[in-house]
Amino acid sequence: MYKIQLWSDREVCVYGKEDGNAVEKDHVVHNNFFSVTQTHGTGIFVVEKNEFRPWKLHHEADALFTIYDKPLGVYVADCLPVVLVGNNAQAIVHCSRKTIHNWLLQSTLQLFHRHNEVITAVYLWPSIRHYEVGEEFDHYFPESFLHPYGDKYLFDMPSYVISILTARGVSHGAIVVDPWCTWTHTDKFRGWRKWDKTERNFVGVRRCLIK
């Protein structure tokens, strides 16, 4: 089932669907949200005004951005989808260890700046709250977000994402963090580490009228 208006800021709704198998077969999702082939890379797909046909699966990217009334969506398992909303612009970013390390979120934020858009609201969808990572990650991320775990670390990605956002002027009060963890709540979410690796959660954002 859909969770409609999981979070809204008067004009923007975040949609989510928890059944990864059903999402793959659900043409309603395919026909109503622009999406991409995600590669854990640095690509950003900008949806322009003349894009009328959603579901651009042949584009490789890990973030979508638009200044128009275009619905955007990504598939995730344990990774963190970040929804960014401005006065007119909106974006959704597939945040993984690789994309975060390669500054995908910062690059998406720069698009808002180029369009003179102030980010008024951010939504962090459920993800794995602590990624298990190797010792090499102490060279990638600040130590304060890495917690020792035997001979490895647990990476607190949501907190790191929040630090990136606030360092670039986004107000703490504008950020909504969903507390669910895909590792501990596999009854609700399709996690990469505890489910078949082909299953995903779908997360989308679109403008909507809130009465």
Side-chain angles (χ1 to χ4, degrees):
M1 58 183 262
Y2 281 104
K3 285 186 173 180
I4 300 176
Q5 297 177 16
L6 289 173
W7 164 81
S8 64
D9 183 36
R10 296 183 182 177
E11 295 181 348
V12 178
C13 296
V14 175
Y15 292 73
K17 191 162 185 180
E18 299 168 352
D19 186 341
N21 277 334
V23 162
E24 295 295 339
K25 302 172 184 176
D26 194 331
H27 297 292
V28 174
V29 173
H30 290 196
N31 292 335
N32 289 281
F33 287 87
F34 286 90
S35 191
V36 288
T37 299
Q38 296 160 213
T39 62
H40 293 271
T42 59
I44 303 173
F45 179 44
V46 178
V47 181
E48 301 291 357
K49 186 176 183 179
N50 60 353
E51 294 278 3
F52 295 109
R53 185 180 179 185
W55 196 241
K56 308 291 287 189
L57 187 60
H58 55 281
H59 288 279
E60 290 189 356
D62 281 271
L64 297 98
F65 173 90
T66 188
I67 60 172
Y68 304 103
D69 183 14
K70 304 290 185 179
L72 312 174
V74 295
Y75 287 100
V76 291
D78 290 324
C79 292
L80 174 61
V82 177
V83 173
L84 306 167
V85 177
N87 296 325
N88 296 294
Q90 61 192 28
I92 188 165
V93 185
H94 169 223
C95 290
S96 67
R97 295 172 297 182
K98 291 181 180 179
T99 63
I100 285 291
H101 176 57
N102 290 314
W103 285 57
L104 179 63
L105 179 58
Q106 292 91 325
S107 297
T108 308
L109 294 172
Q110 287 176 3
L111 285 176
F112 280 82
H113 179 71
R114 289 178 200 165
H115 288 85
N116 297 313
E117 284 278 333
V118 175
I119 294 177
T120 59
V122 179
Y123 183 85
L124 275 61
W125 176 262
S127 67
I128 190 168
R129 286 313 183 211
H130 292 92
Y131 271 98
E132 183 177 320
V133 296
E135 293 180 344
E136 70 277 8
F137 277 79
D138 62 1
H139 300 296
Y140 297 165
F141 304 111
E143 185 178 338
S144 57
F145 301 103
L146 294 169
H147 308 290
Y149 183 67
D151 61 349
K152 298 184 178 181
Y153 291 101
L154 295 178
F155 173 43
D156 185 353
M157 183 183 291
S159 295
Y160 184 54
V161 163
I162 292 171
S163 74
I164 293 172
L165 294 168
T166 55
R168 284 156 180 78
V170 179
S171 167
H172 267 289
I175 303 172
V176 177
V177 182
D178 196 304
W180 293 99
C181 174
T182 55
W183 169 261
T184 56
H185 295 94
T186 52
D187 57 323
K188 294 181 176 293
F189 304 100
R190 297 306 194 250
W192 177 265
R193 288 152 183 80
K194 286 191 175 182
W195 280 89
D196 185 290
K197 298 185 188 304
T198 62
E199 295 186 355
R200 296 290 185 276
N201 308 298
F202 176 81
V203 182
V205 58
R206 72 183 308 169
R207 299 266 170 188
C208 62
L209 178 63
I210 306 296
K211 297 181 179 180

